[in-house]
Amino acid sequence: MNHAEARQDLAAAFRWTARENMHEGVANHFSLAVNEDGTEFLINPKKHFSRIKASDLWLLDANDPDSAQGEDAPDPTAWGLHGSLHRHVPHARCAMHVHSTYATVLASLKDSRLPAIDQSTAMFYNRQIVDEDFGGLALEEEGTRCARMFQDPSVRTMIMGNHGVLFIGDTVAECFMRMYYFERAARTYIIALSTGRELRELPHEVAELTASQQDRDRVAEADFLKGMREVLDADEPDYAA
């Protein structure tokens, strides 16, 4: 994928995240590595998700803190979390962090695991990690601590206890689809809990099968993002500018 297309994919993810009300205004960040070792990455400046354009994205160097300075620069937590990910986790080509409602409710529970109770929750079966050591804003030290929890390439979803949720992946399409479905899966789980009735969890064999059937399906991921971009092309074409 060329640089321009990568910018447009990332801008589309911001716009759709705003449509889903999974944003925090000008806070939270998505990033995408654009060089071979992953240390140079695109990230959003201080601009509302619903207004992000491809050309707005900043290009930062994870080894150069000065690259994150200037007017409308990404805030220090962007550097702390995403700079650390792109510095310490080469397979984290793309990273998306949000405080979306249901994922954050899940992250606030004493047991923050997402169990497999349907097809969407099963997507994350044995493919999630829970951070139980929240230490404040994701500045340099906290960001580095979180990055070190992603050393296993098979784990690409982190439920950040008392904080939110973080996804890594190879592409914008992979990360974005995982983020989208995680929020919907968390919503299903939280609503199911609210009934006060016993949950029907999938047995291990079925949950693992369902998860493996959905693992990093590049065609499904590409189709998912393509569908979102087609809507934006009609409704908000300036995202690609």
Side-chain angles (χ1 to χ4, degrees), residues 4-5 25 40 45 47 71 75 91 93 96 104 106 110 133 157 174-175 177 194 203 210:
E5 188 75 8
E40 293 181 2
K47 188 171 185 177
E71 187 177 357
D75 68 47
H91 57 274
R93 300 293 298 179
M96 295 185 176
T104 305
L106 176 64
K110 185 173 183 179
D133 297 309
T157 298
E174 178 190 349
C175 251
M177 190 167 99
S194 74
T210 307

Side-chain angles (χ1 to χ4, degrees), residues 64-131:
D64 179 12
D66 289 341
S67 66
Q69 303 299 316
E71 187 177 357
D72 296 328
D75 68 47
T77 63
W79 176 258
L81 183 58
H82 292 259
S84 295
L85 284 168
H86 292 295
R87 194 180 309 116
H88 299 297
V89 190
H91 57 274
R93 300 293 298 179
C94 185
M96 295 185 176
H97 169 52
V98 290
H99 302 163
S100 52
T101 301
Y102 289 96
T104 305
V105 170
L106 176 64
S108 303
L109 301 179
K110 185 173 183 179
D111 180 356
S112 293
R113 293 171 300 164
L114 181 67
I117 60 171
D118 76 332
Q119 180 172 300
S120 293
T121 52
M123 182 186 298
F124 304 94
Y125 184 72
N126 281 345
R127 288 153 177 80
Q128 57 186 274
I129 187 169
V130 178
D131 175 16

Side-chain angles (χ1 to χ4, degrees), residues 172-182 217 220-221 224:
V172 172
E174 178 190 349
C175 251
F176 182 50
M177 190 167 99
R178 187 175 295 119
M179 181 183 74
Y180 178 92
Y181 276 106
F182 189 90
D217 183 336
E221 293 161 2
F224 180 80

